[in-house]
Amino acid sequence: MSKSEIIYGMHAVDALLEKQPERVIEVYALKGRDDERLNAVLDKAKEWGVSVQLMQRKALDEKSDGEQHQGIIARVKAVKVLTDNDLEPILNELNVPPFLLILDGVTDPHNLGACLRSAEAAGVHAVIIPKDNSASLTPVVRKVACGAAESIPLIHVTNLARAMRSLQDKGIWIYGTAGEAEQSIYDCKLSGGMALAMGAEGKGLRRLTREHCDELIKLPMAGAVSSLNVSVATGICLFEVVRQRRDSAE
């Protein structure tokens, strides 16, 4: 029997029905709730022949372990976890310079979900995380990602430093963010094949990860706050890359 997992939240369930409907086994929705947004998702499920069960809030709360499910939960076929071996085929299929995000030690699922959402919006080709010392693709991550987790590859690598060396061997330049960096991101040329490495809030990049970066950059901080939440900093940095890649292509 194939494994299944639970996904909840309006955006997450809708995105799965839109992009991978064959994975959806059944949908559970809040009984008595009648709004346009929910009905549109349920109609999409029915169009694909997916069984829809209406339930009381208590039953839905139990299925989501008390997390905010927004009145809709889907039971879906689990997918294969992507690893080091899956990254090379992704890179080989690209017809533009690679744009990757490396997240080192981001253990909070809300932060990982928010980073995936920003990465997908910025056009990142894949997000790389260490197999250990990191949040994984949980229902919370999927919900916070608002559908991005269904479209952006999340690569779990056994050894992050080794994976970084492999990227560098392919001509991909790795920029790491660090508070002690001398160069601001706004003074750095961020075009061509590249990966942006972001560390966990407070701790930043681990020493070995930092040492494997080609260049260290920082966000200039003008106020009293010394650091930003990792998902906020990631969003700012990614879209500076987007701006520069766009300008260099014109």
Side-chain angles (χ1 to χ4, degrees), residues 165-224:
R165 286 195 299 271
S166 177
L167 292 177
Q168 289 162 329
D169 289 343
K170 294 176 175 62
I172 295 172
W173 196 263
I174 301 176
Y175 298 89
T177 55
E180 71 273 17
E182 294 182 4
Q183 185 168 222
S184 161
I185 187 172
Y186 302 117
D187 299 324
C188 190
K189 186 179 178 183
L190 301 167
S191 57
M194 61 155 291
L196 178 69
M198 306 291 300
E201 184 181 0
K203 296 179 181 177
L205 294 173
R206 289 176 294 175
R207 180 189 57 80
L208 196 57
T209 306
R210 191 185 293 112
E211 289 174 357
H212 278 78
C213 293
D214 294 295
E215 201 166 340
L216 293 179
I217 56 177
K218 66 180 178 182
L219 279 171
M221 305 293 290

Side-chain angles (χ1 to χ4, degrees), residues 10 30 32-42 70-71:
M10 207 73 70
L30 183 60
R33 177 173 171 177
D34 185 22
D35 66 62
E36 190 174 333
R37 195 174 168 208
L38 178 61
N39 289 340
V41 178
L42 297 183
Q70 298 177 311

Side-chain angles (χ1 to χ4, degrees), residues 226-243:
S226 61
S227 66
L228 296 173
N229 174 280
V230 63
S231 63
V232 174
T234 297
I236 294 170
C237 292
L238 288 177
F239 277 91
E240 173 59 17
V241 177
V242 170
R243 184 190 69 79

Side-chain angles (χ1 to χ4, degrees), residues 76-113:
V76 305
K77 296 173 186 173
V79 290
K80 170 180 165 285
V81 174
L82 300 180
T83 65
D84 310 57
N85 295 331
D86 298 294
L87 183 56
E88 187 149 351
I90 291 170
L91 296 176
N92 290 341
E93 288 176 9
L94 297 177
N95 54 13
V96 295
F99 180 17
L100 306 172
L101 173 63
I102 297 169
L103 297 175
D104 182 29
V106 176
T107 55
D108 185 293
H110 293 88
N111 279 336
L112 177 57

Side-chain angles (χ1 to χ4, degrees), residues 1 4-8 13 16-17 21-29 42 45-46 48-55 60 63 72-77:
M1 186 177 178
S4 65
E5 58 187 4
I6 291 295
I7 289 177
Y8 48 74
V13 175
L16 201 66
L17 286 166
E22 69 284 354
R23 286 186 55 207
V24 185
I25 301 167
E26 54 190 337
V27 169
Y28 314 107
L42 297 183
K46 290 169 184 173
W48 286 106
V50 176
S51 168
V52 174
Q53 295 184 42
L54 300 180
M55 296 183 163
L60 285 180
K63 283 191 175 293
I72 187 163
I73 296 174
R75 186 165 70 87
V76 305
K77 296 173 186 173

